[in-house]
Every structure is written in C-alpha cells, then in structure tokens.
Amino acid sequence: MYERVEETAAAVRGRCGALPGTAIVLGSGLGDFADTLLDAVATPYGDLPHWPASQVVGHAGRLVIGNVAGKRIAALSGRVHFYEGYDLGTVVFATRVMGRLGVKRIILTNAAGGINTGFAQGALMIIDDHINMLGSNPLVGSNDDRVGPRFPDMSEVYSARLRTIADDAARAKGVQVSHGIYIAVHGPSYETPAEIRFFRTIGADAVGMSTVPEAIAARHMGLEVLGISCITNMAAGVLPQPLVHDEVIDTARRVRGSFIALLEGIIERL
Ligand code: HPA
C-alpha cells in the first residue's frame, strides 16, 4: 500500500505545480466547488495510477488542484464508497495520497440524511463527532508504522480549532450552520425507520455512507480534520415519504451557493 500511495502522490506532484496545504473531499452533488479554483490543474481520477474511480451518479471523479483565497487547495470531486464493494483500505486511498502529498488538513463533506428533527432539508451541519456503524475500520490489518500508530487516539477526530473556524466563516458569510454527530452506515440501501429511531437514541443527528473511513485514516496520519454534512433529505421515517437518490442530488445542488461560500470562508481563515 505504502508504495502505491507514494507512486500516486509522485504522479500528482508531477502535475500540480505548488503543493496544496488543504484537501477537500466533495460529497454527492457538491462537486461544483472544484470549478471555483483558480490557476487550477484538473486530473480525471482515471489518469492517476492506482486511483479508484466511483461509479455513482453525482460523483464526477477528478482531482482539481488550484487556488482559493490565495491558498493552494486540492479538491477531490467524487470519492469511492464501502457500498461499491471496495475494501476500506481502497476507500481511504485518496486520503492516504493527500497525506503523502503533504497536506496538513482535510475537509470532508458529504450528503447526509437528517435524523435530528430540528434540521431542515438543505441544512449544513458541522460534524462534531462520529459513530462508526460500518462494521469495520480502514486500519484493520497490519499497521505501517511509517504512516501512523497501531492504536490511534480518536478523542478529537474533528478538530475543535477547525470547527471554530467554520463557525466564524459561517457567521461572516451569513450562512446558517448546525452542529451534530454523524453516523456512518454501510449502505447502499437506505435505513429503515426503526434503524433511524435507534440511531437517534444513541445520539446521532445525521446519517450517511462515507466520511468516517477517511476521517479515521486522516487522524491515523496526524492530519487535522473538518467534516461538513449537507442534510439533503430527512432520514427514513421522519417524513411520510420514501427516500430517493435524486432528492439527495437535487438538494445538494440547491445549497450550492451557501456551501461554496462557507468553504471559501473557511479557507480564507486557514
Ligand atoms: N441515509 C444514508 N445516507 C445518505 C442519506 C440517508 O438518508 N442521505 C444522503 N446520504
């Protein structure tokens, strides 16, 4: 794994110009942010060695490195998911490459279902902490001590410093944000109403099928992590209607403006 990550990082280094200090993973329907980068170099994932490509609608699949507010950023438009059949080591491959490239922090964004009934569709939630219900962990298997420790601490996965910066940015940009706990499930089927009631009982505010593996791998490497969920739909059973993926994409596109403003405000403050 170490060698493959190094090979991919070398390929990225060879074409990106100045190295990025921050990586941003763009969730379902949130990829438009990548178009706002200046002096950008865009590379389809397929052109990078070993890089897994997603088949999911709403995930363009390209790495864009460019400038926002005078800072060099790597925007990952599209990610692969556990439910696509990839093992979690592959799911976090891109995170590993970013760490190897030398980024200091990673901003993980996603589309999520709202469990907290105080949330409205289209709300943006800063992730304060997570619950891993994937039934596995990206660090399973032998540990490479060059990358990180065998038993990494997870008491502050989502950096308090970056969460404060996100709040400041939201206030300055006039974007409303909430805070909450993200629970990661395997998918790809959506949850049952009983599962959502269970998740609410154990303290979750939003549910999704990504982010947690990348957050764990990023902390393993010592990166600072910020997580932002776009509440694209209310979770199963909250409203008397079925869940459809089109709604997820439509809502994410609808909040595009405030999502991009929030990200810009955060980057300005890094
Ligand atoms: N459940 C799981 N994942 C999701 C959802 C949901 O309701 N919405 C967007 N991603």
Side-chain angles (χ1 to χ4, degrees):
M1 175 62 98
Y2 188 86
E3 285 71 26
R4 274 185 295 145
V5 167
E6 181 50 45
E7 227 177 276
T8 311
V12 174
R13 242 179 255 126
R15 60 170 87 201
C16 74
L19 290 173
T22 304
I24 305 183
V25 181
L26 300 165
S28 298
L30 301 169
D32 288 350
F33 175 75
D35 297 328
T36 69
L37 272 57
L38 303 174
D39 294 321
V41 183
T43 310
Y45 288 160
D47 290 356
L48 293 168
H50 314 301
W51 197 294
S54 174
Q55 312 299 327
V56 184
V57 177
H59 290 258
R62 63 196 177 120
L63 171 66
V64 184
I65 298 183
N67 298 342
V68 177
K71 309 230 163 65
R72 199 82 178 149
I73 303 295
L76 289 81
S77 185
R79 54 153 66 90
V80 295
H81 302 83
F82 199 23
Y83 64 73
E84 293 177 78
Y86 295 105
D87 61 54
L88 288 179
T90 305
V91 168
V92 302
F93 184 81
T95 306
R96 296 293 192 201
V97 172
M98 289 300 114
R100 194 69 200 133
L101 207 55
V103 306
K104 298 284 175 270
R105 63 199 78 80
I106 189 162
I107 302 175
L108 302 168
T109 73
N110 59 57
I115 294 175
N116 184 329
T117 53
F119 290 168
Q121 216 177 332
L124 296 174
M125 183 188 91
I126 308 297
I127 303 178
D128 285 332
D129 203 350
H130 74 225
I131 298 172
N132 179 6
M133 289 290 282
L134 296 169
S136 190
N137 187 297
L139 309 184
V140 167
S142 60
N143 186 62
D144 190 331
D145 295 329
R146 291 170 295 183
V147 179
R150 170 75 289 187
F151 300 110
D153 174 54
M154 292 287 143
S155 46
E156 190 186 308
V157 176
Y158 303 88
S159 154
R161 186 184 85 87
L162 293 182
R163 282 183 275 141
T164 302
I165 285 177
D167 284 332
D168 292 344
R171 215 172 298 117
K173 298 281 182 183
V175 175
Q176 226 191 317
V177 293
S178 306
H179 282 253
I181 307 299
Y182 177 90
I183 190 163
V185 294
H186 192 310
S189 57
Y190 287 118
E191 303 69 40
T192 64
E195 286 166 343
I196 294 302
R197 284 193 298 274
F198 168 56
F199 294 163
R200 186 179 296 118
T201 303
I202 63 172
D205 297 291
V207 57
M209 303 174 192
S210 68
T211 300
V212 164
E214 293 127 303
I216 293 171
R219 289 306 299 143
H220 181 232
M221 292 183 287
L223 304 186
E224 250 190 320
V225 178
L226 177 67
I228 306 172
S229 292
C230 171
I231 307 299
T232 52
N233 57 282
M234 293 315 291
V238 174
L239 301 175
Q241 64 194 43
L243 270 56
V244 286
H245 184 60
D246 285 352
E247 183 188 8
V248 170
I249 301 297
D250 288 348
T251 308
R253 298 232 160 102
R254 187 161 57 72
V255 303
R256 174 184 187 280
S258 46
F259 177 73
I260 289 174
L262 177 62
L263 282 183
E264 283 174 352
I266 292 167
I267 293 163
E268 281 165 21
R269 287 167 176 72
L270 293 176

